[in-house]
Amino acid sequence: MAPEQPVFYYDLGEPECYLVGERVMSELAVAPEWEPVLARDLGLTASAGEPSGLRERVAEQGLQPLRWPAGWPPDTELAMLAATYAKHIGRAVAYSMAAFRQAFAGGRDLGQEGTVLIAGAACEMHPTALLKGISLRSVNTALAQAGARARDAGVDALPALAVDADVFTGPGCVEAANRALAGLPAR
């Protein structure tokens, strides 16, 4: 029996999610569903500083050098509402990657409306429509429900990839998820 479509759980303010986001579409054997969740809804707090080895992993992946946003950590709720709205209109990946890059390659604060609108413009989301979408009660409810689904799935850290009932977290989650998708035992 083939596994269900994997689910990639992420918060746009998490640098590890950025690195996995840059890899997941090209390296995962099956394209995952992108599910934005607020880290704080999972009881997680943003790190006060840069995670160990992050700059080295950015360089290894051939990404633009890391530019740390001022005023760290950001309040990502606005950006995550935008990601949830983007998911509803079929642009979750495009918007999320644009927002990740604004934050970690551009050094912009995801808590600022301007940064959210720039990320939206990068994937052809009209600013007025994006602001309207963010304010919808259904979008707010969908983001809260995504957090509840993540908790129910056993997500206790971000980034996370869920393959059927298994949840893999951290920098090695892509490799672990690929093993699960291939029917191989976890290491």
Side-chain angles (χ1 to χ4, degrees), residues 94-183:
Y95 172 80
S96 297
M97 290 312 305
F100 276 140
R101 291 170 182 157
Q102 284 296 315
F104 299 110
R108 295 182 172 272
D109 183 350
L110 288 172
Q112 294 182 353
E113 184 178 280
T115 302
V116 170
L117 294 176
I118 289 169
C123 58
E124 300 181 353
M125 294 171 66
H126 192 279
T128 303
L130 181 55
L131 291 173
K132 176 77 173 167
I134 289 168
S135 69
L136 293 173
R137 183 178 319 151
S138 61
V139 170
N140 280 267
T141 300
L143 182 57
Q145 289 172 340
R149 282 192 304 277
R151 279 191 307 279
D152 291 347
V155 174
D156 59 4
L158 294 174
L161 276 166
V163 178
D164 294 332
D166 296 317
V167 176
F168 308 99
T169 61
C173 66
V174 174
E175 292 79 11
N178 269 331
R179 290 185 61 77
L181 289 165

Side-chain angles (χ1 to χ4, degrees), residues 45-112:
T45 56
S47 59
E50 187 176 313
S52 175
L54 185 68
R55 289 189 189 272
E56 292 79 12
R57 284 181 279 140
V58 165
E60 287 170 7
Q61 285 184 228
L63 302 174
Q64 290 181 342
L66 186 68
R67 293 184 61 200
W68 209 247
W72 190 261
D75 177 359
T76 61
E77 184 171 9
L78 184 67
M80 295 302 289
L81 286 166
T84 303
Y85 172 69
K87 181 177 180 180
H88 285 277
I89 63 169
R91 291 195 169 112
V93 176
Y95 172 80
S96 297
M97 290 312 305
F100 276 140
R101 291 170 182 157
Q102 284 296 315
F104 299 110
R108 295 182 172 272
D109 183 350
L110 288 172
Q112 294 182 353

